[in-house]
Amino acid sequence: METHRLVLPSDLNQYGFLFGGRLLAWIDEASWIAASLDFPHCQFVTIGMDRVEFRQGVREGTILRICSSRTKKGNSSVTYEVNVTDGKNPSLPPIFNTHVTFVSVNDQGEKRGI
């Protein structure tokens, strides 16, 4: 799944760069949507990201391309690789990448099968 985000002034820290937490929230949301579309009968919660390392700063006006692809499916969990690049300059190195893992839960928050 692919989505895009425009970096706006409200997304920036006091130095004019994108807040890291804002990008992490967008990644979590994009990969959660991918999992929910792949498994529409499941209720997913995030259980982890394997690595958080920002490779370059992001300025206002940047269009981010966020791509999520499933890499692993277990009995009750699923993992997505997420790559973030500059949407206007796809030949540039990635801005960020990670793996996000979700677990399927029931209404009481207990783990259940996919």
Side-chain angles (χ1 to χ4, degrees):
M1 189 198 91
E2 180 177 314
T3 190
H4 293 82
R5 287 293 209 162
L6 172 62
V7 178
L8 299 172
S10 60
D11 302 318
L12 306 177
N13 64 23
Q14 70 274 26
Y15 303 112
F17 291 97
L18 175 64
F19 273 112
R22 183 91 72 222
L23 180 59
L24 293 177
W26 294 340
I27 288 167
D28 190 27
E29 178 182 62
S31 53
W32 179 88
I33 290 170
S36 296
L37 291 173
D38 286 348
F39 305 95
H41 60 284
C42 291
Q43 299 178 94
F44 286 111
V45 294
T46 307
I47 59 171
M49 290 186 188
D50 72 344
R51 184 178 179 130
V52 175
E53 181 180 337
F54 302 94
R55 297 208 163 84
Q56 59 191 32
V58 177
R59 295 286 192 169
E60 177 184 351
T62 302
I63 297 172
L64 296 176
R65 179 176 175 246
I66 305 171
C67 296
S68 302
S69 57
R70 186 175 53 202
T71 57
K72 183 179 174 186
K73 178 187 171 287
N75 293 325
S76 61
S77 66
V78 62
T79 300
Y80 286 79
E81 179 178 11
V82 182
N83 291 294
V84 180
T85 56
D86 185 320
K88 288 185 175 181
N89 300 298
S91 62
L92 293 177
I95 293 167
F96 186 91
N97 58 16
T98 192
H99 290 86
V100 183
T101 302
F102 301 94
V103 68
S104 175
V105 297
N106 63 20
D107 290 336
Q108 291 72 42
E110 300 162 334
K111 193 181 337 182
R112 72 172 190 162
I114 292 180

